[in-house]
């Protein structure tokens, strides 16, 4: 099992934090605002794979995260 290079904890999974944009429909229902989510779109701004223990970034792409978890890095 790979170890976090920052805290040394053995980990089998990573937390993935990614930026995304959401598309909503905004209406007034009985004079109250209502949002209905239509779709979300991942963006390229943030895609960090972090240690679940110390939260430090280990990889910034899915490919590198897979290689880390396989022990290839």
């Amino acid at each position: 099992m790979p170890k976090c290079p920052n805290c040394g904890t053995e980990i089998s999974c990573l937390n993935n934090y990614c930026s995304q944009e959401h598309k909503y429909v905004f209406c007034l229902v009985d004079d109250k605002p209502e949002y209905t989510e239509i779709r979300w779109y991942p963006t390229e701004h943030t895609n960090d794979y972090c240690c679940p223990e110390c939260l430090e970034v280990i990889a910034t792409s899915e490919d590198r995260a897979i290689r880390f978890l396989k022990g290839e890095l």
Side-chain angles (χ1 to χ4, degrees):
M1 186 175 302
K3 290 184 179 184
C4 173
N6 184 61
C7 69
T9 301
E10 288 188 348
I11 51 179
S12 61
C13 58
L14 300 170
N15 292 345
N16 178 223
Y17 298 93
C18 60
S19 297
Q20 50 188 306
E21 294 181 15
H22 296 263
K23 177 181 177 183
Y24 295 90
V25 173
F26 174 74
C27 301
L28 289 177
V29 178
D30 297 325
D31 289 328
K32 295 180 184 174
E34 182 177 291
Y35 292 86
T36 304
E37 185 173 20
I38 301 300
R39 193 170 187 181
W40 64 269
Y41 305 89
T43 65
E44 297 296 322
H45 300 291
T46 302
N47 196 22
D48 294 335
Y49 294 82
C50 302
C51 171
E53 187 67 29
C54 70
L55 304 179
E56 289 295 317
V57 175
I58 292 176
T60 56
S61 71
E62 183 180 68
D63 179 60
R64 288 191 61 83
I66 290 169
R67 290 175 54 210
F68 171 79
L69 290 174
K70 287 182 172 181
E72 296 174 359
L73 294 179

